[in-house]
């Protein structure tokens, strides 16, 4: 049994931040039901759907990955009848998750105040760019906007003239993760108080949180940090280095690591007593890194990584996606899994990183076709009989897959 088994989630999300949060909840066992518009469904159903490289049987990579373990109910929320259907589902739900722009939930009449009048124990979560309050709450935002706005881009890249976003969409993904934390916190609180509550997640808030100690350094000093590429502002050597056939990363943060590194590379010039401690290494960063590069380029990356690992010096290759996904440690940890398609066949994708000792079951069901579960969910969650469901289908309030 999975840890969130029995938790019912209505997932109104689209694109990345919200669907990722829903995916994490679903992977952990929650019964996550996508509430989708008629005909087109959630927008990522069509994204890359016909791309010869990035789709499988009409499902693009976005939809395949983010909607595993979920079900689909297709409802016209803009109609009075469709809204009534949604409210009937809310009565038996535990969580309602959305990432509409600020204010949209109120216009659709699915805001927390409305939902709690239907189900006082409901937990709702809204993911927006700037939050649901404040002078900029109505502004639209996407991942790169908040990476820039939140300060992260100003310290990423080779120098101050080339601000660079993170290659992974951390604005969206970290907000999805914080949403899960907020939802689980609210569910735990409900167990104690009997009351539901609303979780307000802002992409910008999350990016500010991720600045952590570097933000405190700025408030203490008044100095804005600048990007330094792959180097570290304190530790040396802590950077990317060039081997004979590629790149490796070495991270020396203690004097004992430095001593072990010297035993591996055996560069006499680096045995200078001035380099024995961190301040001396930092003051001579360029010289130390140049000497290391001159030596490391003489042998393959695999040779150096093997030798450095034997000496317990923190290091690693700069893997491509294909190399990372094929790594034996990644495989052993079951971090590349095969997820079925509803029409047959399997697709490889990242697995669930949450490893639990007691309720750690890891199974994956296919991402759903649009309206695939409309009939079943309306029967089991809302108590509708077959004739009522067919009448709603006929009047185009809901859509069900044949």
């Amino acid at each position: 049994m999975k840890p969130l088994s029995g938790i019912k989630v209505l997932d109104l999300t689209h694109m990345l931040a919200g669907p990722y949060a829903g995916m994490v909840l679903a992977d952990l066992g929650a019964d996550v039901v996508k509430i989708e518009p008629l005909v087109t469904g959630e927008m990522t159903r069509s994204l890359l759907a016909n791309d010869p490289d990035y789709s499988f049987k009409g499902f693009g990579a976005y939809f395949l990955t983010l909607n595993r373990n979920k079900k689909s109910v297709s409802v016209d929320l803009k109609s009075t009848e469709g809204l009534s259907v949604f409210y009937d589902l809310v009565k038996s739900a535990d969580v309602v998750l959305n990432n509409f722009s600020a204010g949209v939930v109120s216009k659709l009449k699915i805001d927390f105040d409305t939902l709690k009048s239907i189900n006082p124990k409901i937990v709702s979560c809204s993911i927006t760019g700037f939050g649901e309050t404040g002078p900029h709450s109505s502004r639209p935002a996407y991942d790169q906007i908040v990476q820039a706005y939140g300060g992260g881009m100003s310290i990423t890249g080779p120098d101050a003239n080339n601000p660079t976003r993170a290659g992974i969409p951390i604005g969206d993904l970290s907000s999805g993760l914080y949403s899960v934390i907020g939802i689980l916190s609210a569910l735990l609180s409900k167990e104690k108080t009997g009351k539901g509550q609303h979780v307000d997640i802002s992409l910008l808030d999350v990016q500010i949180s991720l600045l952590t100690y570097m933000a405190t350094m700025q408030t203490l000093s008044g100095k804005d940090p600048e990007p330094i590429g792959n180097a570290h502002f304190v530790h040396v050597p802590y950077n990317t280095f060039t081997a004979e056939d590629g790149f490796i990363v070495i991270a020396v943060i203690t004097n004992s690591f430095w001593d072990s590194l010297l035993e591996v590379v055996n560069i006499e010039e680096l045995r200078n007593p001035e380099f024995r401690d961190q301040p001396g290494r930092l003051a001579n960063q360029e010289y130390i890194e140049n000497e290391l590069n001159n030596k490391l380029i003489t042998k393959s990356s695999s040779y150096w990584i093997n030798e450095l690992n034997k000496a317990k010096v923190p290091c690693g290759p700069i893997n491509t996606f294909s190399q990372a996904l094929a790594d034996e440690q990644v495989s052993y940890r079951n971090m590349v899994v095969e997820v079925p398609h509803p029409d047959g066949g399997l697709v490889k994708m990242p697995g669930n990183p949450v490893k639990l000792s007691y309720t750690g079951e890891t199974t994956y069901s296919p991402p759903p076709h649009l309206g695939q579960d409309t009939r079943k969910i309306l029967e089991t969650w809302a108590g509708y009989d077959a004739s009522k469901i067919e009448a709603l289908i006929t009047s185009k309030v809901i859509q069900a897959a044949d």
Side-chain angles (χ1 to χ4, degrees), residues 354-375:
V354 180
K355 313 297 185 187
L356 298 171
S357 63
Y358 180 56
T359 54
E361 177 189 340
T362 53
T363 55
Y364 301 94
S365 61
H369 282 299
L370 179 62
Q372 179 177 303
D373 306 284
T374 299
R375 288 186 174 90

Side-chain angles (χ1 to χ4, degrees), residues 191-257:
E191 290 296 312
K192 299 175 181 179
T193 65
K195 295 181 180 180
Q197 62 183 302
H198 181 61
V199 181
D200 173 4
I201 298 292
S202 154
L203 271 69
L204 177 60
D205 290 355
V206 172
Q207 293 308 292
I208 296 296
S209 174
L210 295 181
L211 298 180
T212 59
Y213 68 89
M214 296 190 76
T216 307
M217 289 168 59
Q218 192 284 324
T219 63
L220 289 170
S221 68
K223 300 175 183 177
D224 283 320
E226 292 189 356
I228 52 175
N230 294 329
H232 197 281
F233 67 95
V234 172
H235 302 298
V236 175
Y238 191 115
N239 210 332
T240 302
F241 297 91
T242 305
E244 186 178 48
D245 59 347
F247 302 98
I248 63 173
V249 171
I250 297 174
V252 169
I253 61 172
T254 67
N255 291 339
S256 62
F257 288 154

